């Protein structure tokens, strides 16, 4: 196995928008943060962030968490009981990228819906809801991911969200939003976070993806839900104590890093257009709505592990999603020149052939 330490430094990192590093201004805000004990409600910076996100999403209360995965897991743990079932898109993060956490910790199941770009409609939801039977799991919760990562960063349209949420309630289901890239959706669609979140019982936003923070996410919902979420937060690791140092990064990001997400989207479209012109690379640049680009490399005859190695040798990282599929994600630390370089290196790597 190749020792990655022998590879050059990553100069253009399109692996994920979690690759960002805090800006100097963000670091300064973190160093200047007023702190206290989060568990006692005495960290003023964390309290300010929670209140800001609750208002942003139009919810009663919010709680700062170490990650979006923990937000999803705790939300599902509060909404469900052992033997319940959670419905989501087949490509959803809660289904394929969270270690089956809800099954391990909560005894609940995931029921995935196969759908185009990981966006399903109300009728598909109805088809997935189980009729109550003594011997069947009980459908309890619907999770929508905004944006749909495995759908190529597709934005759930507000009308589609409203339709699915209304149908869910007809079936007596709660509705939760995985808002990992909610702010990308807001900027791309011109819809406020409050409007996107309104149909949901609970929602969260990630701070460590497009917003560029080193750590964190904030989960919001009704006050009694947040009280129950705090119980699970303690069970899964406890309070963060002087969390204001981290919360300050989130406040800085909300002040300075939201509108600039449009730059990431434009860079993704540029990369997609350049990549689509490479013989053997299949993708439709018109489908790129936000900051995620999936590349179908099946026609090149080259295993993506080989392409990954070739790109890394040139200081470029694009992640492998399967033997014929790769994913590139633009973010705060990626410029137009970077995506142009990455596309040029991809073309060179593909031109080298299968061996």
């Amino acid at each position: 196995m190749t020792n990655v330490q022998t590879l050059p430094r990553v100069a253009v990192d399109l692996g994920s928008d979690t690759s960002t590093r805090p800006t100097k201004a963000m670091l300064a805000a973190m160093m200047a943060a007023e702190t206290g004990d989060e568990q006692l409600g005495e960290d003023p910076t964390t309290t300010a962030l929670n209140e800001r996100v609750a208002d942003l999403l139009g919810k009663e209360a919010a709680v700062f968490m170490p990650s979006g995965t923990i937000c999803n897991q705790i939300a599902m743990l509060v909404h469900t009981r052992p033997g319940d079932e959670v419905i989501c898109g087949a490509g959803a993060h809660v289904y394929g990228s969270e270690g089956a956490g809800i099954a391990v910790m909560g005894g609940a199941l995931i029921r995935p819906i196969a759908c185009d770009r990981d966006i399903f409609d109300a009728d598909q939801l109805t088809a997935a809801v189980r009729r109550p039977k003594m011997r069947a799991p009980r459908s309890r919760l619907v999770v929508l991911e905004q944006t749909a990562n495995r759908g190529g960063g597709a934005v759930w349209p507000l009308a589609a969200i409203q339709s699915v949420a209304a149908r869910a309630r007809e079936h007596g289901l709660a509705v939760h939003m995985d808002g990992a890239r909610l702010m990308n959706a807001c900027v791309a669609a011109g819809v406020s976070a409050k409007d996107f979140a309104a149909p949901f019982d609970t929602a969260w936003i990630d701070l460590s993806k497009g917003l560029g923070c080193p750590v964190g996410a904030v989960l919001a919902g009704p006050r009694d839900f947040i009280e129950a979420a705090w119980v699970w937060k303690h069970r899964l690791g406890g309070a963060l104590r002087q969390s204001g140092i981290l919360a300050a990064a989130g406040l800085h990001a909300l002040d300075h890093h939201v509108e600039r997400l449009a730059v990431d989207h434009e860079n993704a479209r540029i990369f997609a257009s350049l990549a689509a012109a490479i013989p053997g690379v299949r993708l439709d640049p018109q489908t790129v709505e936000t900051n995620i680009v999936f590349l179908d490399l099946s026609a090149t005859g080259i295993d993506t592990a080989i392409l990954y190695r070739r790109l890394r040798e040139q200081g470029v990282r694009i992640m492998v999603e399967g033997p014929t599929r790769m994913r590139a994600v633009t973010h705060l630390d990626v410029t137009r020149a970077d995506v142009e370089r990455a596309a040029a290196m991809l073309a060179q790597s593909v031109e080298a052939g299968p061996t």
Side-chain angles (χ1 to χ4, degrees):
M1 180 178 292
T2 300
N3 183 353
V4 295
Q5 298 300 319
T6 65
L7 295 172
R9 181 184 68 86
V10 176
V12 180
D13 196 341
L14 296 175
S16 174
D17 40 9
T18 59
S19 301
T20 58
R21 292 178 172 84
T23 63
K24 290 182 179 179
M26 181 179 285
L27 288 170
M30 295 169 70
M31 292 299 293
E34 186 179 358
T35 64
D37 192 315
E38 182 201 30
Q39 180 174 327
L40 299 178
E42 295 178 353
D43 189 298
T45 309
T46 302
T47 298
L49 176 62
N50 289 337
E51 291 175 349
R52 173 121 178 229
V53 173
D55 181 67
L56 180 73
L57 300 181
K59 306 304 179 188
E60 289 182 344
V63 55
F64 182 65
M65 297 286 188
S67 73
T69 294
I70 293 176
C71 287
N72 276 335
Q73 290 300 312
I74 288 179
M76 291 189 291
L77 286 163
V78 175
H79 282 300
T80 66
R81 296 294 179 268
D84 286 347
E85 200 162 56
V86 177
I87 300 171
C88 62
H93 198 273
V94 295
Y95 180 50
S97 299
E98 298 187 5
I102 188 58
V104 173
M105 296 181 290
L109 307 175
I110 298 284
R111 186 171 175 85
I113 298 175
C115 48
D116 184 47
R117 304 199 74 194
D118 218 39
I119 295 176
F120 51 89
D121 60 30
D123 289 341
Q124 288 173 300
L125 172 61
T126 292
V129 175
R130 294 184 187 270
R131 296 175 61 184
K133 294 181 181 179
M134 291 184 293
R135 62 182 184 273
R138 178 62 58 89
S139 298
R140 189 73 68 183
L141 174 68
V142 183
V143 177
L144 278 61
E145 184 179 327
Q146 183 72 298
T147 62
N149 177 9
R150 302 299 172 194
V155 176
W156 270 84
L158 180 57
I161 291 172
Q162 292 169 334
S163 175
V164 168
R167 185 68 59 86
R169 292 194 169 85
E170 290 177 12
H171 292 291
L173 309 180
V175 190
H176 169 69
M177 178 170 65
D178 173 340
R181 295 181 175 88
L182 171 61
M183 303 316 296
N184 290 88
C186 293
V187 170
V191 175
S192 72
K194 186 172 293 186
D195 285 345
F196 266 137
F200 295 90
D201 298 291
T202 55
W204 61 273
I205 63 168
D206 201 301
L207 303 173
S208 64
K209 290 188 172 66
L211 295 182
C213 299
V215 175
V218 183
L219 175 64
R223 199 166 303 280
D224 60 349
F225 169 86
I226 295 301
E227 289 174 358
W230 256 107
V231 173
W232 275 108
K233 181 175 178 177
H234 279 288
R235 286 173 178 163
L236 298 179
L240 298 174
R241 303 304 178 186
Q242 287 72 39
S243 54
I245 294 172
L246 300 174
L251 289 169
H252 178 85
L254 290 171
D255 286 337
H256 301 286
H257 292 174
V258 175
E259 294 305 320
R260 65 144 310 280
L261 291 170
V263 175
D264 298 340
H265 301 169
E266 178 61 20
N267 285 337
R269 287 189 288 269
I270 291 169
F271 176 77
S273 295
L274 293 171
I278 301 171
V281 177
R282 295 174 178 168
L283 73 135
D284 180 0
Q286 297 301 313
T287 65
V288 177
E289 298 181 64
T290 53
N291 66 325
I292 298 175
V293 181
F294 278 96
L295 309 170
D296 178 354
L297 296 150
S298 55
T300 67
I302 309 172
D303 189 286
T304 51
I306 294 174
L307 285 175
Y308 177 85
R309 170 71 191 204
R310 290 174 181 172
L311 289 166
R312 280 291 285 107
E313 288 173 346
Q314 299 300 321
V316 174
R317 175 153 51 208
I318 299 176
M319 295 305 292
V320 171
E321 293 288 324
T324 62
R325 198 177 193 218
M326 301 184 83
R327 186 189 76 160
V329 185
T330 55
H331 50 77
L332 180 66
D333 292 349
V334 171
T335 66
R336 176 168 181 163
D338 289 334
V339 297
E340 290 173 347
R341 174 181 172 182
M345 293 301 99
L346 177 63
Q348 179 179 305
S349 299
V350 169
E351 186 179 355
T355 58

